[in-house]
Amino acid sequence: MKVRLRRLRANGTIRAMVQENRIDLSELVYPVFVAEGENIKQPIETMPGIYQYSIDMLKEIMDELYNNQIRSVLLFGIPKHKDEVGSSAYDQHGVIQNAVSYIKNNYPDMIVIADVCLCEYTDHGHCGLVKNGKILNDQTLPLLARMAVSLAVAGADIIAPSDMMDGRIGYIREQLDQNGFTDVPIMAYSAKFASAYYSPFRDAAHSAPAFGDRKTYQMDPANGREAIREIEEDILEGADFVMVKPALAYLDVVKEASMRFNLPVVTYNVSGEYSMVKAAAGLGYIDEKRIVMENLLSMKRAGAKIIITYHALDVARWINSEK
Ligand code: PBG
Ligand code: ZN
């Protein structure tokens, strides 16, 4: 008897029947940059197709997402005021708190995930407090927790800490609970690597560090075992979701996390991954749609349950136009 694996590839119908992974719009999250001010729809030069919006201009993109069956957004804020301690991050009427309540009031069944980190709000651009050129860990935790609680008060459905300070998941969980938000889940950026793939995001969010780099808190790209330890720790501290970031260069970590841990694994298909595809597609070197679907499928195959991606709206349009 000969093995003939081609039997199950004979036509599109049977291929669909045996297909192991699919892209489901309910599992895609679209990141949105919200700038303080009015009448802003500012293209981000390094991320073709992505914009900063002021709250009064959010309706356009939110309607478009909603009508295309994207039901989840991840919000980042661009405040007018930055200072040493990132005070706009935990201002109850800050840009991101206001954006959360605007979206929840107008799109109640949209899942609003709020990124928690100080780097968009500090004048030095680091994710934690700085003293003598060092990024402080324990002193940063209360500020992150304040930000998280203010976002929960504003109505955020999920809190997503991306700062990589040690112990923040447990600290934030406790503060959320003490303030009555026992039902608000935490999506932990657990294995977040110090990656060159974030640079377009830093243009988009004006969050590049003014000195040094993020290597004392984000992970070394060489370390896979340590990534598992970070994830384990966040689960012990109470994370409801764990994330691996970036996605494509770290699919081994996604795979291992999904095999070891019984909670949803999220991967963040970051700005640089998006921009490389857009740039090559813009030059006509690759077929954008096929490349994007192949990339996203590779993340599903590695075991990602949820994918955060700037391609989400394009993908939704492609999928919806096939129906
Ligand atoms: C900030 C943050 C970053 C991203 C998400 N949250 C950048 C960074 O750590 O410098 C990157 C997202 C992307 O590149 O798409 N903590
Ligand atoms: Zn940060």
Side-chain angles (χ1 to χ4, degrees):
M1 193 195 63
K2 288 234 166 56
V3 175
R4 292 186 187 277
L5 293 171
R6 290 183 52 195
R7 282 186 197 117
L8 304 190
R9 295 176 202 147
N11 59 61
T13 316
I14 198 159
R15 286 194 296 272
M17 185 190 220
V18 300
Q19 185 169 54
E20 295 175 33
N21 291 285
R22 285 195 188 139
I23 302 303
D24 186 327
L25 297 180
S26 65
E27 298 170 332
L28 299 186
V29 179
Y30 186 75
V32 178
F33 298 99
V34 187
E36 192 168 1
E38 269 134 53
N39 208 26
I40 300 168
K41 182 186 174 186
Q42 173 74 27
I44 296 153
E45 218 177 302
T46 51
M47 301 178 71
I50 306 294
Y51 300 80
Q52 296 175 352
Y53 298 90
S54 50
I55 294 175
D56 59 327
M57 299 288 278
L58 273 179
K59 185 177 186 318
E60 175 187 317
I61 183 72
M62 292 307 301
D63 284 348
E64 189 68 13
L65 291 167
Y66 196 85
N67 294 334
N68 279 288
Q69 275 72 55
I70 298 291
R71 287 292 182 274
S72 175
V73 288
L74 171 62
L75 300 186
F76 295 98
I78 300 123
K80 278 188 174 155
H81 170 78
K82 298 190 188 216
D83 58 30
E84 222 182 346
V85 294
S87 35
S88 309
Y90 34 91
D91 175 350
Q92 192 56 59
H93 300 290
V95 59
I96 209 65
Q97 288 78 4
N98 288 343
V100 169
S101 39
Y102 167 82
I103 296 173
K104 287 311 293 182
N105 288 333
N106 292 281
Y107 306 85
D109 55 350
M110 188 63 101
I111 296 172
V112 174
I113 309 173
D115 188 87
V116 167
C117 198
L118 298 185
C119 56
E120 295 124 69
Y121 307 89
T122 50
D123 51 15
H124 47 71
H126 276 289
C127 304
L129 291 176
V130 173
K131 197 172 175 191
N132 301 329
K134 285 215 160 114
I135 318 306
L136 304 178
N137 194 90
D138 298 9
Q139 293 86 333
T140 300
L141 303 183
L143 302 185
L144 295 169
R146 250 177 97 179
M147 183 179 186
V149 170
S150 74
L151 290 162
V153 169
D157 296 292
I158 300 175
I159 297 299
S162 67
D163 52 284
M164 288 298 279
M165 297 301 127
D166 285 319
R168 85 256 206 243
I169 301 303
Y171 196 100
I172 290 172
R173 181 71 272 162
E174 197 176 297
Q175 292 296 310
L176 284 173
D177 291 354
Q178 277 181 19
N179 285 277
F181 297 106
T182 50
D183 292 338
V184 173
I186 296 179
M187 181 182 283
Y189 285 71
S190 300
K192 180 176 180 182
F193 291 87
S195 171
Y197 284 101
Y198 305 150
S199 60
F201 174 95
R202 293 179 188 172
D203 290 342
H206 301 304
S207 65
F211 68 91
D213 53 40
R214 302 205 200 291
K215 290 180 187 169
T216 66
Y217 41 109
Q218 297 181 351
M219 288 192 56
D220 185 334
N223 297 358
R225 284 152 51 84
E226 187 186 347
I228 297 304
R229 244 193 118 188
E230 283 280 5
I231 294 169
E232 249 165 9
E233 195 54 46
D234 284 355
I235 295 172
L236 290 173
E237 290 179 30
D240 300 280
F241 306 79
V242 292
M243 193 193 300
V244 176
K245 175 187 175 185
L248 289 172
Y250 299 88
L251 291 182
D252 56 323
V253 181
V254 174
K255 177 77 181 174
E256 195 167 344
S258 72
M259 293 194 0
R260 279 189 192 229
F261 304 116
N262 297 312
L263 80 181
V265 173
V266 184
T267 195
Y268 195 146
N269 178 213
V270 299
S271 56
E273 299 175 299
Y274 171 86
S275 298
M276 290 195 310
V277 170
K278 282 287 183 184
L283 289 166
Y285 292 174
I286 56 169
D287 178 332
E288 178 174 351
K289 178 176 166 182
R290 290 189 58 204
I291 290 273
V292 169
M293 296 309 281
E294 190 171 332
N295 282 351
L296 297 183
L297 271 176
S298 74
M299 297 169 207
K300 297 292 302 184
R301 201 184 61 242
K305 170 65 179 148
I306 297 160
I307 302 172
I308 302 169
T309 179
Y310 303 95
H311 296 293
L313 185 52
D314 287 338
V315 170
R317 289 187 183 120
W318 296 330
I319 290 180
N320 294 330
S321 71
E322 279 163 12
K323 279 179 192 152

